[in-house]
Amino acid sequence: MPTKEVEIIVYGAEVLCPSCVNLPSSKETYEWLDAAIARKFPEQAFTISYVDIYNPPEDSTKKEFAVRVIEEDMFYPVVVIEDEIVGEGSPKLKTIYKELEKYGYVQAGI
């Protein structure tokens, strides 16, 4: 079981990034990840939140990273787990699952 409840943050925007034209929106990616992770790691708590890079919350860490996404022209959505970037533009579930397993998350059926 997880050693702690991991926070997953999806940074994105309403408008698709110019290089991500045929991909789902940041918000759709956030919803898809939430459902996929809950299925893969049932009954294992995690927090997932969405941060609009053009309208970030007051939380200084999230606000600073949102500015970084814009300034560094990152492909969004950018998926961050415990301060580690694990996906940009079109995040890969396999990579995200591997990162969660580092924190003790166990896949269903194993």
Side-chain angles (χ1 to χ4, degrees):
M1 286 315 232
T3 50
K4 69 176 201 162
E5 187 173 318
V6 168
E7 181 177 23
I8 303 159
I9 307 169
V10 179
Y11 291 88
E14 293 283 322
V15 180
L16 291 178
C17 83
S19 312
C20 309
V21 175
N22 292 320
L23 297 174
S25 72
S26 298
K27 199 77 160 186
E28 288 167 333
T29 300
Y30 156 75
E31 290 164 356
W32 168 72
L33 280 175
D34 188 15
I37 294 167
R39 264 194 316 275
K40 192 68 148 183
F41 302 104
E43 297 172 31
Q44 296 171 67
F46 64 92
T47 305
I48 185 165
S49 52
Y50 176 77
V51 173
D52 185 320
I53 58 175
Y54 295 109
N55 191 17
E58 287 305 309
D59 179 298
S60 62
T61 307
K62 290 178 178 155
K63 193 176 243 176
E64 284 168 23
F65 193 84
V67 168
R68 195 176 141 201
V69 171
I70 297 166
E71 287 178 351
E72 294 179 18
D73 283 330
M74 293 182 185
F75 295 124
Y76 49 85
V78 178
V79 180
V80 177
I81 297 177
E82 297 297 316
D83 301 323
E84 189 72 35
I85 297 172
V86 293
E88 246 186 277
S90 179
K92 305 288 176 254
L93 278 176
K94 214 178 212 177
T95 308
I96 292 165
Y97 293 160
K98 264 199 173 100
E99 188 67 22
L100 288 169
E101 287 168 357
K102 288 181 189 174
Y103 293 93
Y105 285 77
V106 179
Q107 293 184 33
I110 293 180

